[in-house]
């Protein structure tokens, strides 16, 4: 059920919008977030990168912003991840020179440095901009989605490889209203903060990306191109997640009736990593979990995750984390991720 107070707030004209509503000739500019109010920044004649501190306070990782109406935003780039969600009406963007029209309920995910501009929105066009620091996107979201890092990496690479020259993803409105409901609940927490709102928004962000994964999976099944290879890779990665302590290239290849060389090529082509690299990624990830949540000695942890060569274990861990397991355990903070 829509919160009428928030819905009214989103549809109301801000002081900024009132200045430009009905203006025949729109100024060309970029937006700058300062004390929750938009102000004009420098007028630029060529695509410019908008720095993180235009929108984010030092301790913020996620920012929700109602896109200003009646203003044409000329081409620009961001140093952060951006999602444009159409709450009401439509949104016309130009992404790398290509016109992209979003309808109500659609969402567009833009990678960093994508050149895009947005046409002037009318009064009924309510677009929500969700901006995410890349560090938060990588650590707090992608690595935690569905509890399966490898499958999520595969998802991200698969959808970006399809559009590797444009680096954006369009998610059409799903079969149900779950995404809309989750985004609206996140907006309520953001614009009307209560006790533990930061933690609630962190949870909503995970739910948003989980729903996007489901929407992508649903639409990918309806595409004409064969999905057999994707299904096989997903099965392989699930098997690796469950058997990381004992699996080898040979046993995994045998499980899926591949030659080891073919399995290596398949993973390298689709994930950009070899079987050995993926194996170490899984073992080190689970090492960190044990370091954070148990009192086991480091040698005991190494054995538990599948390392028999302790020297190689230390070398692998330091290569990934830039610190020894003991240093990592000492520095690890258990405080929740801040927004």
């Amino acid at each position: 059920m829509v919160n009428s107070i928030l819905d009214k707030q989103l549809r109301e004209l801000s002081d900024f919008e009132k200045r430009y509503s009905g203006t025949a000739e729109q100024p060309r500019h970029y937006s700058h977030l300062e004390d929750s109010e938009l102000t004009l920044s420098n007028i630029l004649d060529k695509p410019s990168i908008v720095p993180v501190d235009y929108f984010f306070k030092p301790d913020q990782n996620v920012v929700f912003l109602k896109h200003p109406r009646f203003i044409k935003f000329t081409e620009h780039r961001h140093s952060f991840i951006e999602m444009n969600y159409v709450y009401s009406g439509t949104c016309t963007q130009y992404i790398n020179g290509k016109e992209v029209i979003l309808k109500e309920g659609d969402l567009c995910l833009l990678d960093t440095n994508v050149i895009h501009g947005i046409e002037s929105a009318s009064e009924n066009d309510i677009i929500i901009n969700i901006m995410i620091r890349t560090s938060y996107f990588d650590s707090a979201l992608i690595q935690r989605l569905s509890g399966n890092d490898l499958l999520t990496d595969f998802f991200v690479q698969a959808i970006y490889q399809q559009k590797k020259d444009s680096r954006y993803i369009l998610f059409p409105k799903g079969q149900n209203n779950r995404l809309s409901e989750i985004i609206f609940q996140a907006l309520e927490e953001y614009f009307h903060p209560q006790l533990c709102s930061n933690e609630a928004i962190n949870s909503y962000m995970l739910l948003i990306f989980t729903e996007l994964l489901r929407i992508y999976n649903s639409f990918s099944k309806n595409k004409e191109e064969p999905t057999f290879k994707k299904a096989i890779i997903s099965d392989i990665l699930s098997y690796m997640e469950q058997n990381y302590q004992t699996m080898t290239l040979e046993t995994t290849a045998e499980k899926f009736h591949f030659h080891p060389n073919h399995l290596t090529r398949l993973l390298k082509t689709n994930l950009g990593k070899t079987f050995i690299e993926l194996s170490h990624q899984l073992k080190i990830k689970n090492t960190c979990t044990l370091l954070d949540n148990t009192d086991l000695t480091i040698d005991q942890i190494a054995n538990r995750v599948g390392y028999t060569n302790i020297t190689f274990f230390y070398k692998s861990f330091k290569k990934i984390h830039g610190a020894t397991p003991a240093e990592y355990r000492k520095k690890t903070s258990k405080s929740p991720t801040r927004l």
Side-chain angles (χ1 to χ4, degrees), residues 261-274:
N261 291 343
H262 177 66
L263 177 59
T264 297
R265 286 194 298 270
L266 191 66
L267 294 174
K268 184 69 175 178
T269 299
N270 288 276
L271 296 175
K273 295 180 181 179
T274 66

Side-chain angles (χ1 to χ4, degrees), residues 275-336:
F275 178 89
I276 298 300
E277 289 171 331
L278 293 171
S279 175
H280 288 312
Q281 178 181 329
L282 284 169
K283 290 178 180 179
I284 298 303
K285 180 195 79 169
N286 284 278
T287 295
C288 292
T289 300
L290 293 172
L291 287 170
D292 291 340
N293 298 286
T294 74
D295 294 324
L296 293 172
T297 67
I298 292 171
D299 285 1
Q300 288 173 328
I301 291 174
N303 290 327
R304 181 167 292 196
V305 300
Y307 282 101
T308 55
N309 186 321
I310 299 300
T311 301
F312 186 67
F313 162 72
Y314 274 87
K315 182 178 179 181
S316 298
F317 190 96
K318 191 164 186 177
K319 181 178 180 181
I320 292 175
H321 289 285
T324 66
E327 291 169 341
Y328 175 90
R329 174 176 263 175
K330 186 176 180 179
K331 294 178 181 178
T332 297
S333 170
K334 296 186 179 181
S335 60

Side-chain angles (χ1 to χ4, degrees), residues 28-43:
R28 300 173 62 190
H29 72 281
Y30 295 96
S31 59
H32 179 201
L33 192 66
E34 183 177 346
D35 296 328
S36 302
E37 292 295 333
L38 285 164
T39 59
L40 291 179
S41 66
N42 295 331
I43 297 175

Side-chain angles (χ1 to χ4, degrees), residues 21-284:
S21 60
T23 304
E25 188 172 343
Q26 312 292 347
R28 300 173 62 190
H29 72 281
Y30 295 96
S31 59
H32 179 201
L33 192 66
E34 183 177 346
D35 296 328
S36 302
E37 292 295 333
L38 285 164
T39 59
L40 291 179
S41 66
N42 295 331
I43 297 175
L44 303 171
D45 295 322
K46 61 182 180 180
S48 176
I49 191 162
V50 180
V52 170
D53 58 9
Y54 264 53
F55 295 100
F56 296 83
K57 295 178 181 178
D59 61 344
Q60 281 186 306
N61 286 315
V62 179
V63 171
F64 289 81
L65 177 70
K66 186 184 78 171
H67 183 79
R69 291 164 286 185
F70 315 117
I71 297 295
K72 177 179 179 179
F73 282 71
T74 53
E75 288 187 331
H76 58 286
R77 297 178 293 152
H78 296 153
S79 57
F80 46 83
I81 304 289
E82 179 182 16
M83 294 194 292
N84 303 134
Y85 170 72
V86 182
Y87 176 80
S88 171
T90 62
C91 172
T92 300
Q93 293 199 51
Y94 290 90
I95 304 176
N96 292 329
K98 177 184 177 182
E99 184 182 62
V100 177
I101 299 177
L102 305 177
K103 297 175 290 185
E104 186 172 314
D106 292 349
L107 183 144
C108 184
L109 173 63
L110 294 160
D111 198 4
T112 57
N113 296 314
V114 176
I115 298 175
H116 68 290
I118 303 179
E119 286 294 321
S120 174
S122 66
E123 186 168 350
N124 189 50
D125 299 330
I126 312 296
I127 299 108
I128 304 299
N129 297 330
I130 307 173
M131 293 161 284
I132 311 165
R133 287 185 190 269
T134 53
S135 57
Y136 179 78
F137 184 81
D138 292 337
S139 61
L141 294 177
I142 291 302
Q143 291 183 15
R144 289 166 59 188
L145 284 172
S146 73
N148 189 323
D149 294 353
L150 296 185
L151 278 177
T152 307
D153 287 346
F154 172 62
F155 161 77
V156 172
Q157 291 202 32
I159 52 182
Y160 276 143
Q161 282 174 358
Q162 292 179 8
K163 297 180 178 296
K164 59 185 178 182
D165 295 328
S166 52
R167 303 289 289 180
Y168 75 93
I169 314 159
L170 176 61
F171 295 89
K173 183 178 181 180
Q175 298 293 325
N176 55 52
N177 293 321
R178 281 180 54 84
L179 181 63
S180 300
E181 293 168 0
I182 295 167
I183 290 177
F184 195 84
Q185 289 167 345
L187 287 171
E188 287 188 296
E189 291 287 349
Y190 188 85
F191 288 117
H192 303 127
Q194 305 177 59
L195 179 66
C196 299
S197 281
N198 280 359
E199 290 77 6
I201 293 173
N202 279 324
S203 299
Y204 282 128
M205 292 305 298
L206 286 172
L207 289 173
I208 288 169
F209 275 91
T210 297
E211 193 61 28
L212 292 179
L213 281 166
R214 291 171 178 172
I215 292 172
Y216 170 76
N217 184 61
S218 173
F219 279 90
S220 67
K221 288 180 179 178
N222 297 323
K223 293 180 180 179
E224 295 180 359
E225 69 266 17
T227 58
F228 174 75
K229 184 169 69 173
K230 289 186 178 182
I232 286 294
I233 294 174
S234 296
D235 289 343
I236 293 170
L237 296 180
S238 292
Y239 173 83
M240 293 176 69
E241 286 272 357
Q242 296 168 19
N243 299 277
Y244 69 90
Q245 297 105 322
T246 58
M247 68 181 180
T248 65
L249 174 61
E250 289 71 22
T251 58
T252 306
E254 182 179 358
K255 168 72 177 178
F256 293 94
H257 311 291
F258 289 143
H259 188 280
N261 291 343
H262 177 66
L263 177 59
T264 297
R265 286 194 298 270
L266 191 66
L267 294 174
K268 184 69 175 178
T269 299
N270 288 276
L271 296 175
K273 295 180 181 179
T274 66
F275 178 89
I276 298 300
E277 289 171 331
L278 293 171
S279 175
H280 288 312
Q281 178 181 329
L282 284 169
K283 290 178 180 179
I284 298 303

